């Protein structure tokens, strides 16, 4: 984790918690926290999102609240500074849960959401995708997945999706996540982040969960819902997260990191990747930020 990332995470935690302290709902805190991270350009989300193999940055985000199980998400959205804000609008302004592709972008434009600044040189130099090379790229992508599924490689390759979970004074939990995806994605690839029950879940009868890691493995276990279901039975967040991550490894050779918050405020930051940059704050002292959690 860089110094700038550490400072940004602390700022994000403070901005989210300040809202909770003033009595705002947990979904506001989750959105505000994620927006700080998206806007910073320091993580793989929003302004810092990585491009797909055709050089276009397509982003995924979702948000969910646990009182009425309302959720919103966008996948493959382009040119938006705060994709989580688009997800929130899907939740609040439509009867749907998920919008995808150019029409999700169109939706964001309709609501005049802030635009993502144009990418830096590094992003502009990304390879294009001539049709003839597609087979080669498929092979390359498969090889990459094989490598990424080794725990020690995952965080280096799939860098810094952002997410947050929160519990407000009314006892409502919320979760959200936002990402630019993984390295060497085929255009059109969608990960776990915008899929409710895979990348995020929130239920006042259980708790809130936000995931990071290789989406292709997280989706196959529906990890966020699996963790939430166990929390609903009263299980401890840390034990639950460890058990489900162990299942992820055993069944689909996946590794991941989870932010888990139970409905009564117990929480865990758990990962079976080498590192996971994350933090927490309960309003006293300074926010805790680290890139390894026990
Ligand atoms: N889960 C994200 C995805 O698969 C990537 C990540 O968390 O690093 O799109």
């Amino acid at each position: 984790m860089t110094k700038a990332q550490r400072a940004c995470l602390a700022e994000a935690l403070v901005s989210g918690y300040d809202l909770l302290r003033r009595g705002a709902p947990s979904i506001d805190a989750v959105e505000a926290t994620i927006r700080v991270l998206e806007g910073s350009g320091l993580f793989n989300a929003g302004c810092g999102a990585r491009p797909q193999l055709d050089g276009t940055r397509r982003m995924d985000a979702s948000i969910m609240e646990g009182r009425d199980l309302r959720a919103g998400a966008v996948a493959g959205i382009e040119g938006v500074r705060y994709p989580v804000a688009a997800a929130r609008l899907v939740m609040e302004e439509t009867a749907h849960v998920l919008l995808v592709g150019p029409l999700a972008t169109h939706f964001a434009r309709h609501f005049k959401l802030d635009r993502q600044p144009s990418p830096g040189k590094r992003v502009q130099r990304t390879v294009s995708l001539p049709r003839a090379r597609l087979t080669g790229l498929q092979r390359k992508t498969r090889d990459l997945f094989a490598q990424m599924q080794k725990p020690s490689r995952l965080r280096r390759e799939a860098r810094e999706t952002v997410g947050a979970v929160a519990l407000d004074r009314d006892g409502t939990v919320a979760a959200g996540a936002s990402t630019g995806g993984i390295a060497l994605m085929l255009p059109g690839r969608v990960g776990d982040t915008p899929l409710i029950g895979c990348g995020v879940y929130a239920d006042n009868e259980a708790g809130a969960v936000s995931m990071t890691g290789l989406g292709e493995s997280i989706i196959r276990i529906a990890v966020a819902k699996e963790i939430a279901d166990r929390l609903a039975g009263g299980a401890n967040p840390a034990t639950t997260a460890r058990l489900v991550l162990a299942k992820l490894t055993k069944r689909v050779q996946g590794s991941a990191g989870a932010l888990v918050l139970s409905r009564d405020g117990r929480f865990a930051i758990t990962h079976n990747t080498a590192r996971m940059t994350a933090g927490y704050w309960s309003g006293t002292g300074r926010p805790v930020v680290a890139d390894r959690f026990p």
Side-chain angles (χ1 to χ4, degrees):
M1 170 174 34
T2 64
K3 249 178 141 175
Q5 285 176 323
R6 182 179 289 277
C8 181
L9 266 171
E11 181 196 337
L13 287 163
V14 170
S15 66
Y17 192 83
D18 273 352
L19 286 168
L20 294 176
R21 192 175 358 227
R22 282 187 264 135
S26 52
I27 195 144
D28 284 3
V30 163
E31 182 184 346
T33 304
I34 292 177
R35 281 170 76 122
V36 172
L37 302 170
E38 288 177 333
S40 71
L42 297 170
F43 301 94
N44 176 26
C47 295
R50 69 165 85 237
Q52 296 192 323
L53 280 168
D54 59 354
T56 299
R57 301 195 286 176
R58 297 184 185 85
M59 299 163 289
D60 302 334
S62 63
I63 196 159
M64 181 168 189
E65 63 82 38
R67 194 187 66 186
D68 300 317
L69 305 182
R70 292 186 309 148
V74 289
I77 197 167
E78 292 173 40
V80 174
R81 192 181 182 97
Y82 305 115
V84 72
R88 176 97 185 254
L89 282 169
V90 172
M91 177 180 123
E92 283 180 349
E93 301 293 332
T94 78
H96 311 307
V97 170
L98 174 61
L99 291 183
V100 302
L103 291 170
T105 308
H106 191 73
F107 173 81
R109 297 280 178 262
H110 173 78
F111 284 96
K112 301 195 170 24
L113 291 189
D114 289 355
R115 293 192 185 226
Q116 187 187 39
S118 69
K121 276 202 185 103
R122 192 172 53 82
V123 173
Q124 276 162 359
R125 266 192 270 116
T126 326
V127 289
S128 63
L129 184 65
R131 263 168 218 280
R133 287 184 52 214
L134 193 56
T135 316
L137 282 174
Q138 279 167 339
R139 205 176 319 118
K140 222 169 154 188
T141 311
R142 263 201 311 272
D143 291 351
L144 182 85
F145 285 169
Q147 283 175 11
M148 286 174 69
Q149 289 191 330
K150 293 180 190 149
S152 59
R153 292 293 304 264
L154 182 66
R155 295 312 306 159
R156 246 184 293 158
E157 301 291 351
R159 68 178 157 113
E160 294 129 3
T161 284
V162 305
V165 292
L167 169 67
D168 62 32
R169 58 169 71 144
D170 293 336
T172 289
V173 290
S178 178
T179 188
I182 56 170
L184 291 187
M185 293 166 279
L186 288 174
R189 181 262 184 193
V190 172
D192 59 299
T193 304
L195 304 181
I196 303 303
C198 297
V200 302
Y201 204 72
D203 179 353
N204 282 4
E205 294 179 8
V209 183
S210 179
M211 297 300 303
T212 182
L214 184 61
E216 281 70 5
S217 60
I218 294 169
I219 290 169
R220 285 150 70 202
I221 303 281
V223 171
K225 183 67 164 70
E226 167 101 31
I227 292 177
D229 283 348
R230 291 173 187 238
L231 292 179
N236 169 279
T239 315
T240 305
R242 265 198 300 277
L243 281 173
V244 177
L245 293 188
K247 174 175 172 184
L248 185 76
T249 304
K250 180 164 172 247
R251 296 300 309 276
V252 294
Q253 293 77 52
S255 350
L259 306 174
V260 182
L261 179 62
S262 66
R263 62 184 172 213
D264 58 4
R266 290 171 296 154
F267 76 94
I269 300 172
T270 304
H271 55 107
N272 59 4
T273 50
R275 292 182 302 115
M276 177 177 175
T277 300
Y280 57 92
W281 199 40
S282 310
T284 48
R286 305 178 112 189
V288 176
V289 175
D291 59 10
R292 262 174 232 270
F293 293 83

